[in-house]
Amino acid sequence: MTAGAPTDPIPLLVPDVPDPLSLLPYLQRMHAARYYSNGGPLVRELEDRFAERFGLGAEQVTTVASATLGLELVLQSLGLRAGSRVLMPTFTFAATATAVLRAGHVPVLCDVDADSWLLTPDIARGAHATDAVDAVLPVAALGMPHDMAAWQRFEDETGLPVVIDAAAGFGSQWLAGASGTLVFSLHATKSLPAGEGGFVVSSRPGLAARVRQLANFGINLDPASHLPVGALAAVGTNAKMSELHAAVALASLACWEQGAQARRALQREMQDALARAADGRIAWQLAGPAGAIAAPTLLCARMPDAACRGRLEALCAAQGIATRRWYQPLMHRMEALLPFCTLLPTPQADALAETLIGLPFFPKMDPAQMQRLTRVMEQAMRS
Ligand SMILES: Cc1ncc(COP(=O)(O)O)c(C=O)c1O
C-alpha cells in the first residue's frame, strides 16, 4: 500500500522529537554526572538557555514537570486569597481551568476576540468592570502570542496580576521588553518537545524562585534563610523536571529553528491549498499585535457554517483522515467544571466552536496526504 492510498489513515499530528542518537551526548553527560533529577547540570543548562533567549537572569526562569503544574504553582506563588476569581477564556485546553481549580481558585470564563481567538486586555477590562476579578489568565490560543506591553498597561491600570498560559507558544510568545509571567509546555506535541515538561519565565521579583521551591516540595535550600535547610518553607509538590527530559529538550533546542521554519512553510502551503479548495470560504486565526505563530503545531480552519464542518468531519472519518475540534467542548460546556466556574457571556467563543475544525498537520506530511485533504475539503464545500 502506498503512502497516498485512499484508505491509509492520516494522523492529526505526529510528535517531532529528535532522533535518539542526537540525545546520546546529553545522556552520556547525565550518566557521567550521576545526576538524574533535582536541578542537575542539564536542567541548569536548559534554564540558562531559556534565560538567555528571554534576556532575563537565571533566577527569573525555572523548569517544571509540565505546563499544568507550572500554572498551578505560579497561581500558588501569587499569594491570592483562597477562592480568588481568575478570569480566563472559555476557549482553551482543559488544563488552564484545572490549574485554577487545583490552586484553590474560581475560573471566571469569558469570551475571546473573533479574529485572534485570544482573551484581550479590552475583553478583560469589560469583564472586570461588570464582575470584578482578582487575576487574569489569558491563553496564547494554539500558540498565538499576546501583546505583553498591552498586558503590562492592564496590570498597571488595574493592579491585577496577569499570567499568560503560553503552553503552545514557545518561540512565539516573548516579553518583548515588557514585564510579565509566561508558562510554556514542552509536551511531546509542542514545537520544543521534551516528552513532558514546561518552564516559567517571570519578571515579577521572586516569582520564578518561589515556583522552583514549590516544585521541589516547598523545601528550603537556602542556608541564609531563618529556616533550616530541608525544612518546608511552603506546601509544594514534586514538579521538578528530570535530567532525562532536559536532555530531550536540549536536543530539541539544537534543531528548533530549522523545525520552526519547516512548520511555517508547511502551514503556508496547506492554508493556501485548502483555501483554494474551499474557494476562499474558510477562515484562519489572525495574528494579533504581537505577530504570528512562529512554530505552528496545529492547523485549525473555521468553516463557513456548522453543517459544512459536519460534512467535512464525516468525509474525513470515512477516509481515515483524523480531525479534532481543538479546545472543545468549550470550558463552559464541560460538566465536570461547570459547578465550580462562573460564566460570562461568550458569543464569539460560541460562534467559533460551531465551525472550528482541526486538520492533520505534522512535519514531513507528504503531497499525497495533502492532496487527499484538499479533495475532501472540495467535496465538503460542494455537497
Ligand atoms: C492552553 C494549554 N494550557 C496548558 C496545557 C498543558 O500543558 P502540559 O501538557 O505541559 O501540562 C496545554 C497542553 O496542550 C495547553 O494547550
Side-chain angles (χ1 to χ4, degrees), residues 65-69 71 92-93 95-96 139-140 142 165 167-168 184-187 189-190 196-198 327:
S66 68
T68 307
L69 285 167
L71 289 167
T92 184
F93 181 62
T96 319
V139 174
L142 311 168
D165 176 348
F184 294 93
S185 171
L186 303 178
H187 186 262
T189 52
K190 301 294 184 280
E196 289 279 4
Y327 291 175

Side-chain angles (χ1 to χ4, degrees), residues 334-347:
M334 300 257 202
E335 265 177 45
L337 292 176
L338 260 188
F340 311 109
C341 298
T342 297
L343 179 62
L344 302 180
T346 58

